[in-house]
Amino acid sequence: EPTMSLQTSTGQRRAITIPAIVGAALLLTLTIPLWFPVSALADLVRGRRRCPTTRLLAFGVCWAWLETAGVMAAGGLWIIGQSRNRRVHYGLQRWWSKNLLAALGATCGITVEVENAEALANGGTLLFVRHASLADSLVSAYVVTNVAGLQPRFVLKRELLMDPCLDVVGQRIPNHFLDRGANDSAPELAAISDLVTDLGPRDVGIIFPEGTRANPAKRRGALDRIRERDPIRADALSALGHLLPPRPSGARAMAMGAPIADVVLAWHVGFEGLDSFAGILKALNRRFPPIRFVVRRVPGHEVPRDGGFDAWLDEQWLGMDADVSAALQARNERTK
């Protein structure tokens, strides 16, 4: 079972993270009379008229209580012998993502509009998603569970096991928490492939092929590393202006694990710059237009499962980058 570190067991991790989230919920709630006026005053002194620090702290209260409620519900399911019941845990995931996104809207003004949602109407598919912010996993979970009514199987980084709900509920339903620092990638790739071998009509395997949140420095670094191995590929991907070059191995393993599945590609705009705490505060200090989440389905027979997969994925990513560029330009023109 995935662990926080080689020396820390699942039980030891949860003995720290679960009391910590309950304590955070209580502390943030009890200290509202203190942090609310202090953070608001600090924001106003810095010229932040929309009080982003205060709003982010308000979201923190909601997040901490939703995490606490989710862990308590998972504990209750364990007590009554339902810890292996996938259906109820998917219901809990659906409730958690819906209410967490609602909390983002109420406190930070972040809402999501899904375009071409019918591309997710039928499951048994793979979903490759752009990665731009800390909220990508949440939004993807919301779209898949609440908009499409499907059951996601995520590939997520192991560090996210520090989130108690993801740790407890996320390990009771099919997901894989990836060890990005593994010396031998073969077991990780095999696990990704195995994750989707038995996809049912309501299931969807989800991976973020970029592997990390995009920003200009990461894009330059990724292209430099690619150039050392494959200058031709680096030249082709140098046209990317918003997305990172995809890391094909994980997506390829998923495609091989479900060799006839359709692939749905997803890009979004609105999360740019939200890859750091400072970026989040800057973004929340302005009116937040709805996040556009756009999906497009590619029939399985059009997706090469042989040596052509990597080139195909690069081509799709370049196309998505062009779509993101056009969408951002249109958004900027509307807000002038």
Side-chain angles (χ1 to χ4, degrees):
E1 188 175 19
T3 53
M4 182 169 60
S5 70
L6 293 176
Q7 292 77 34
T8 307
S9 70
T10 298
Q12 290 173 322
R13 180 180 63 247
R14 292 175 182 175
I16 296 171
T17 59
I18 293 176
I21 199 64
V22 175
L26 291 170
L27 180 63
L28 284 168
T29 302
L30 292 174
T31 58
I32 286 175
L34 175 63
W35 63 254
F36 188 92
V38 170
S39 62
L41 180 61
D43 277 333
L44 293 173
V45 167
R46 290 177 171 83
R48 299 170 176 167
R49 296 185 179 181
R50 296 182 65 85
C51 296
T53 307
T54 306
R55 294 161 68 197
L56 197 57
L57 284 168
F59 172 71
V61 175
C62 299
W63 171 78
W65 280 115
L66 285 169
E67 286 283 318
T68 299
V71 171
M72 292 178 65
L77 290 170
W78 176 77
I79 290 172
I80 64 175
Q82 295 296 307
S83 62
R84 296 182 181 273
N85 188 327
R86 288 185 181 179
R87 182 182 60 81
V88 296
H89 283 85
Y90 272 123
L92 181 56
Q93 182 186 43
R94 184 165 54 251
W95 172 87
W96 176 83
S97 61
K98 178 181 179 180
N99 285 280
L100 198 55
L101 195 64
L104 265 179
T107 59
C108 300
I110 297 177
T111 59
V112 176
E113 295 179 350
V114 183
E115 298 182 20
N116 198 29
E118 59 272 17
L120 285 166
N122 300 308
T125 58
L126 307 177
L127 178 61
F128 298 166
V129 190
R130 178 196 182 194
H131 200 2
S133 78
L134 297 168
D136 288 350
S137 298
L138 166 61
V139 171
S140 300
Y142 166 78
V143 170
V144 168
T145 60
N146 286 276
V147 177
L150 300 176
Q151 301 178 152
R153 301 184 179 192
F154 277 99
V155 176
L156 300 168
K157 61 182 180 181
R158 182 173 292 188
E159 290 84 348
L160 289 176
L161 290 171
M162 291 298 292
D163 181 300
C165 264
L166 284 175
D167 186 6
V168 178
V169 179
Q171 297 201 78
R172 292 182 184 177
I173 53 182
N175 294 296
H176 178 62
F177 290 88
L178 183 71
D179 182 1
R180 297 186 298 177
N183 292 325
D184 182 4
S185 62
E188 297 293 333
L189 295 176
I192 293 173
S193 185
D194 291 344
L195 181 66
V196 296
T197 54
D198 61 343
L199 289 179
R202 295 189 60 215
D203 299 323
V204 54
I206 305 175
I207 192 169
F208 300 87
E210 291 155 298
T212 187
R213 300 183 300 275
N215 63 39
K218 290 180 180 178
R219 188 177 306 108
R220 288 192 297 270
L223 287 171
D224 287 343
R225 289 189 293 273
I226 293 172
R227 194 174 302 281
E228 293 174 359
R229 306 187 307 270
D230 189 343
I232 296 176
R233 182 179 181 227
D235 288 342
L237 291 174
S238 64
L240 292 172
H242 304 281
L243 279 64
L244 293 180
R247 301 176 183 178
S249 56
R252 187 194 320 118
M254 186 171 276
M256 294 300 291
I260 63 173
D262 292 354
V263 172
V264 178
L265 299 159
W267 58 268
H268 46 75
V269 292
F271 281 134
E272 288 73 22
L274 272 71
D275 61 319
S276 66
F277 181 73
I280 292 172
L281 289 181
K282 182 179 179 180
L284 294 183
N285 196 40
R286 54 176 171 78
R287 187 182 68 83
F288 220 101
I291 304 298
R292 284 185 62 199
F293 192 94
V294 184
V295 293
R296 177 174 63 87
R297 190 172 185 130
V298 181
H301 67 268
E302 295 182 9
V303 181
R305 258 70 177 195
D306 52 19
F309 178 85
D310 294 8
W312 175 86
L313 185 64
D314 283 351
E315 182 182 354
Q316 304 309 308
W317 235 246
L318 286 165
M320 286 176 25
D321 188 83
D323 290 338
V324 167
S325 181
L328 288 173
Q329 183 177 353
R331 175 173 289 215
N332 292 336
E333 289 175 355
R334 287 195 300 269
T335 56
K336 284 182 180 179

